[in-house]
Amino acid sequence: MAEYETILVEQRGRVTLVTLNRPQALNALNSQVLADLLAAFAAFDADPSQGCAVLTGSEKAFAAGADIKEMQAQGFADMYGGNFFGGYERLTQTRKPIIAAVAGYALGGGCELAMMCDFILAADTAKFGQPEIKLAVSPGMGGSQRLTRAVGKAKAMEMCLTGRMMDAAEAERAGLVSRVVPAAELVEEAVKTAATIAGMAPLAVIANKEMVNAAFETGLAQGVQFERRLFHGLFGTADQKEGMSAFVEKRAGNWSGK
Ligand code: CO8
């Protein structure tokens, strides 16, 4: 297992657990964190022994944003010319699912990173916000788009314009997170959920992720068509035969990933 500077990576059966590990900066996302995350998730995606990942932080902070100290002195040419943090889009191209397990602060780039994952499980201590306006900037890793799609214009606009944080209960009501669990159980619950996903037929997992994501990029008729084509395609897999036989024979499926 590769060693990284800013994250810890551990395999628990078919689940890869990635933990942001810059406690001194509340897991602020600097360029090294981006490089480490890209390498770790590329390795996860390429490893057939792994079926689902969990991305988490500490009890105090999932991540308190992009690293302000790294950005402070940068000018337009550095940011635009260097496509600062553009690499994060590559995380969203990971084909297998990633669950964000969020406790404490998920602010700015931290909230945006959580929203790049496939869904968010929140501890009851979680706080989400896009406070960039207080620094005279704005979200830059997709927050204005993904937050608005997740919670609607009213809450997203208020949060981006005031920097107000949303607690876990409000985030669940607003549909930003799938579930809220007690902080002490967050990582175990996320790993358990990931293990459930990793126990499904691998091609069906990828197809289900692709079709739900298509809902963000297409109109309804086109999205339904995309779903149906992938659904039809799954009937060309050995695991579809195995899954339906296993149901009829009242036993667990034994997946080949083919
Ligand atoms: N960047 C760098 N360092 C940070 C950050 C950060 N985002 N957040 C916290 N830290 C550091 C603090 O400077 C402090 O370090 P030190 O001990 O050396 O002074 C340490 O972490 C602990 O932080 P605090 O003492 O502030 O802890 P508190 O418990 O008092 O407060 C808060 C916690 C409320 C989370 C507070 O730290 C805070 O407000 N942090 C900043 C939150 C923020 O503004 N985030 C948005 C950053 S901008 C951003 O994310 C832009 C995204 C788009 C970028 C994409 C570009 C293309």
Side-chain angles (χ1 to χ4, degrees):
M1 179 110 314
E3 292 282 324
Y4 300 96
E5 218 176 288
T6 64
I7 59 175
L8 303 170
V9 181
E10 176 191 337
Q11 292 185 348
R12 295 199 188 170
R14 285 181 49 76
V15 174
T16 299
L17 175 62
V18 178
T19 306
L20 296 163
N21 188 32
R22 290 190 76 211
Q24 73 288 1
L26 300 183
N27 291 331
L29 308 169
N30 63 12
S31 302
Q32 189 60 47
V33 178
L34 170 60
D36 288 351
L37 287 175
L38 287 177
F41 282 108
F44 154 71
D45 222 18
D47 182 348
S49 78
Q50 298 299 288
C52 188
V54 172
L55 175 60
T56 196
S58 68
E59 274 173 33
K60 180 159 184 195
F62 176 76
D67 191 316
I68 298 169
K69 292 165 189 167
E70 187 180 56
M71 293 185 293
Q72 188 181 6
Q74 308 281 320
F76 171 78
D78 307 310
M79 298 299 263
Y80 184 59
N83 192 20
F84 191 76
F85 278 180
Y88 270 106
E89 290 307 320
R90 269 191 273 153
L91 276 189
T92 64
Q93 287 154 20
T94 308
R95 298 189 77 205
K96 295 175 205 166
I98 306 172
I99 303 172
V102 174
Y105 297 111
L107 301 178
C111 185
E112 295 172 290
L113 176 60
M115 291 190 292
M116 280 181 204
C117 297
D118 295 298
F119 61 92
I120 302 174
L121 272 183
D124 47 13
T125 57
K127 292 185 192 69
F128 299 88
Q130 298 291 161
E132 291 93 335
I133 194 161
K134 296 185 192 170
L135 304 166
V137 291
S138 70
M141 282 163 52
S144 63
Q145 307 304 299
R146 291 196 179 91
L147 186 65
T148 307
R149 280 165 166 77
V151 305
K153 180 183 170 189
K155 278 185 190 288
M157 190 67 92
E158 188 199 355
M159 287 171 73
C160 288
L161 289 178
T162 67
R164 168 175 93 76
M165 290 185 218
M166 198 187 251
D167 67 17
E170 185 181 1
E172 187 180 29
R173 279 200 305 278
L176 179 59
V177 308
S178 66
R179 277 186 292 136
V180 178
V181 299
E185 293 162 25
L186 176 70
V187 173
E188 287 320 308
E189 186 58 32
V191 169
K192 197 170 123 199
T193 305
T196 299
I197 295 168
M200 304 293 177
L203 296 179
V205 168
I206 292 176
N208 275 271
K209 170 170 167 165
E210 272 183 7
M211 65 180 72
V212 174
N213 279 336
F216 290 93
E217 309 291 349
T218 60
L220 179 62
Q222 205 188 344
V224 170
Q225 182 79 340
F226 180 73
E227 174 195 271
R228 187 154 308 127
R229 288 291 169 266
L230 278 178
F231 170 75
H232 291 159
L234 289 170
F235 283 74
T237 66
D239 280 344
Q240 173 269 329
K241 301 287 174 296
E242 167 62 10
M244 294 194 175
S245 302
F247 175 80
V248 172
E249 292 160 17
K250 301 188 189 300
R251 59 176 177 82
N254 182 18
W255 313 125
S256 65
K258 299 278 164 59

